[in-house]
Amino acid sequence: MRAKFAIPLFAALFVLFATFAWGQTTTFSGKKVEVYTTAKNTTLRLSDAGSLQLQPTSQEMNKGNWIFVDPTKTFQSVLGIGGALTDASAETFAKLPEKSQEEFLTAYYNPEKGIGYTLGRTNINSCDFSSDSYTYVANHDSLLKTFSIAHDEKYRIPFIKKIIAATDGNLTLFISPWSPPAWMKSNDDMLHGGKLLPRYRQAWANYFVKFIRAYQAQGIHIWGMTVQNEPLATQIWESCIYTAQDERDFIKNYLGPTLERDGLGSKKIIAWDHNRDLLYYRASVVLNDPQAAKYVWGIGYHWYESWSGGKMMFNNERRVQEAFPNTHLLFTEGCVDRFNFNQVHDWSLGEKYGRSMIHDFNAGTVGWTDWNVLLNEKGGPNHVGNYCFAPIIADTRTGQLIYTNIYYYIGQFSKFVRPGAKRIISSSSSSQLLTTAFINKDGKLAVIVMNPTDTKITYHLWVGGSAAGTASLPHSISTLIVE
């Protein structure tokens, strides 16, 4: 009897499963897809490029180009997307007429009229994108009795407050030091590298607490911090060297315990904050030590490893995710350097961002932080002449804002991929089309498709057994919203 009914029973179960699965996959039939596009040699800039409708498909999928989206496979939740709120950005903003200031705030931080930034980074003490070098304490005041953020009250604090208001209080802000005060360092200099002297490690951990408390007294909530900006770079600007072991020991013996002792244990600590090339090694040294790892929320990284002539090393992000799946990845800085005012409309600027953001999110990052949100017509101010591009350039001679296509490429993500969204599977059958996708908390899918080639590419968007045909313009990026 068992042999007689085994095959029919299996078949019945298979039919039941297939019926259930098909029911699940056909739920997208008839769904509307709104397309928003930014494209070279067109007027399309985050523009409504029309709508599609998903229909059941029986086409052979080995023909043509396909973007396959599977909303049933979810991954990391998105923290946010944004940029750095530096002294340079704040000073440039202050020089703008009020109308341009309002335009800037709307362009970045309004989710309907702008691109809806929700993530920010700002500096502890000065950085290269400050007009001068400064700290918040008098020389050799290891007890920090003279600690004061009066310097920041002129430009940066008012700037950040306006941004917080523009986001209705929904700004996730983290902080990063470029250097401790000179007298705390081995070279007695805020610039040119040097190391934190062992006798000042506790004072430097206390400095973080002082900064957080002072900013929060101004109504600026600090979500988290990186331990040190670019801890392996000896720069002509503010810099400080930490080996992997130095950073591990500072976290577990000083910074982590100090934050907990002072009631700030909920603040997120982010290690590394440097390039992808050494990402796995630096993460492993910290995270393989349980006493350090218990304080670490995530690993931050930059994209400048390509300056050596190689390519961006996205697989190193994946190695960290594979080895430490409960630790978050966060892109903490990226920009295009060697500013030239005559190149503000070069299309390659934005394409570098689009390529990185797609690969970074697909590799597991939870958030993406650009460098300066605003710079002047010289790519500064910057006290060491290290000028670079920003998504928006302010011509302080005229008071006008210039939008590079970086702004639009980032906006194809930040406007449509909101905090709390989860990444889902988006797979391309063509190596020429780059893609990533998310499901927002309201249930809408945001599928991003980038075409960095000189050729228009037709493709089908496939979701749950239904598909719609469309085309990707040369040198374009589109966000397809499935409602």
Side-chain angles (χ1 to χ4, degrees):
M1 292 292 292
R2 292 180 61 180
K4 182 178 178 180
F5 290 100
I7 293 176
L9 180 60
F10 174 81
L13 290 172
F14 178 82
V15 170
L16 181 64
F17 173 79
T19 302
F20 174 77
W22 179 252
Q24 292 293 95
T25 59
T26 56
T27 57
F28 288 92
S29 177
K31 290 280 189 179
K32 184 179 179 182
V33 182
E34 289 288 346
V35 183
Y36 299 88
T37 297
T38 295
K40 185 178 182 180
N41 297 326
T42 72
T43 59
L44 298 174
R45 299 293 184 272
L46 275 170
S47 303
D48 188 337
S51 62
L52 314 170
Q53 191 173 43
L54 293 171
Q55 298 291 350
T57 180
S58 58
Q59 284 187 255
E60 291 294 330
M61 292 179 184
N62 63 342
K63 297 177 182 178
N65 302 304
W66 294 80
I67 299 293
F68 299 103
V69 178
D70 186 352
T72 69
K73 303 296 186 294
T74 60
F75 301 92
Q76 77 272 22
S77 294
V78 174
L79 174 69
I81 297 169
L85 315 179
T86 59
D87 291 313
S89 295
E91 291 171 30
T92 301
F93 178 83
K95 292 178 181 178
L96 291 173
E98 185 177 351
K99 183 177 180 182
S100 294
Q101 290 183 346
E102 288 302 317
E103 179 186 341
F104 166 87
L105 293 170
T106 299
Y108 268 128
Y109 297 100
N110 187 299
E112 285 80 35
K113 298 179 181 179
I115 60 174
Y117 270 15
T118 58
L119 185 61
R121 180 192 188 206
T122 199
N123 44 294
I124 303 175
N125 293 332
S126 56
C127 65
D128 48 335
F129 281 87
S130 303
S131 290
D132 58 354
S133 291
Y134 64 87
T135 71
Y136 304 116
V137 295
N139 282 346
H140 306 294
D141 176 16
S142 60
L143 297 179
L144 310 183
K145 292 181 178 180
T146 58
F147 190 94
S148 169
I149 56 170
H151 173 280
D152 297 359
E153 292 174 355
K154 184 176 182 181
Y155 294 119
R156 187 148 47 108
I157 287 174
F159 178 59
I160 295 175
K161 284 183 176 180
K162 287 191 175 185
I163 288 171
I164 291 171
T167 65
D168 293 326
N170 295 315
L171 180 69
T172 300
L173 183 65
F174 66 97
I175 56 179
S176 300
W178 268 243
S179 175
W183 52 270
M184 287 189 182
K185 296 174 63 183
S186 60
N187 62 344
D188 196 28
D189 185 0
M190 288 187 71
L191 318 183
H192 310 109
K195 297 188 71 172
L196 176 65
L197 292 168
R199 66 179 179 273
Y200 291 123
R201 287 171 183 163
Q202 185 58 60
W204 184 229
N206 295 342
Y207 206 99
F208 280 80
V209 171
K210 286 281 192 179
F211 183 89
I212 293 169
R213 294 279 191 216
Y215 261 59
Q216 293 193 162
Q218 292 279 343
I220 299 173
H221 176 76
I222 304 300
W223 168 83
M225 71 214 70
T226 69
V227 179
Q228 168 64 43
N229 176 72
E230 299 185 347
L232 277 189
T234 298
Q235 305 283 23
I236 62 171
W237 55 84
E238 288 82 348
S239 44
C240 185
I241 302 301
Y242 285 74
T243 66
Q245 293 75 20
D246 290 337
E247 185 174 31
R248 175 198 65 198
D249 293 347
F250 181 67
I251 290 170
K252 75 176 180 180
N253 296 327
Y254 297 96
L255 185 57
T258 299
L259 291 171
E260 283 201 344
R261 182 197 67 207
D262 285 88
L264 298 174
S266 64
K267 305 301 179 186
K268 307 299 190 275
I269 295 177
I270 300 161
W272 188 218
D273 197 13
H274 206 164
N275 297 333
R276 297 186 190 95
D277 48 5
L278 297 177
L279 184 62
Y280 181 80
Y281 165 69
R282 293 292 298 225
S284 67
V285 170
V286 173
L287 298 176
N288 280 327
D289 185 321
Q291 295 307 307
K294 69 180 181 180
Y295 295 115
V296 176
W297 173 86
I299 305 296
Y301 64 95
H302 302 181
W303 72 11
Y304 306 117
E305 71 273 8
S306 58
W307 282 0
S308 63
K311 296 181 178 180
M312 292 181 176
M313 304 177 74
F314 304 109
N315 278 336
N316 286 346
E317 300 170 47
R318 293 185 173 89
R319 300 296 84 81
V320 173
Q321 275 290 284
E322 290 165 356
F324 307 102
N326 296 321
T327 300
H328 303 86
L329 285 169
L330 180 65
F331 185 91
T332 49
E333 185 187 315
C335 74
V336 179
D337 67 340
R338 300 185 180 91
F339 179 80
N340 183 333
F341 189 78
N342 295 324
Q343 296 175 346
V344 294
H345 296 301
D346 280 11
W347 203 257
S348 62
L349 298 175
E351 286 192 335
K352 181 171 184 177
Y353 278 73
R355 185 181 302 275
S356 182
M357 294 181 78
I358 287 171
H359 285 294
D360 289 331
F361 280 115
N362 285 343
T365 200
V366 301
W368 214 92
T369 325
D370 185 29
W371 191 206
N372 304 273
V373 291
L374 180 70
L375 292 172
N376 65 20
E377 68 278 1
K378 296 179 180 179
N382 183 299
H383 71 90
V384 291
N386 178 37
Y387 303 122
C388 74
F389 289 88
I392 298 179
I393 299 295
D395 190 335
T396 59
R397 300 165 297 187
T398 64
Q400 293 182 321
L401 300 181
I402 300 167
Y403 295 80
T404 73
N405 74 320
I406 298 170
Y407 170 84
Y408 299 105
Y409 268 73
I410 296 176
Q412 294 281 165
F413 295 80
S414 61
K415 186 176 181 69
F416 305 108
V417 180
R418 305 304 297 158
K422 286 186 176 292
R423 183 175 66 87
I424 59 177
I425 288 291
S426 184
S427 174
S428 175
S429 70
S430 167
S431 62
Q432 295 178 312
L433 293 178
L434 309 180
T435 184
T436 188
F438 304 83
I439 182 166
N440 282 291
K441 293 168 73 174
D442 62 4
K444 293 181 181 179
L445 307 186
V447 184
I448 295 162
V449 178
M450 177 177 160
N451 176 6
T453 76
D454 296 330
T455 305
K456 180 179 179 180
I457 301 174
T458 59
Y459 69 94
H460 280 81
L461 173 69
W462 183 98
V463 188
S466 295
T470 186
S472 182
L473 296 175
H475 295 287
S476 72
I477 185 169
S478 295
T479 307
L480 294 83
I481 305 298
V482 183
E483 301 185 15

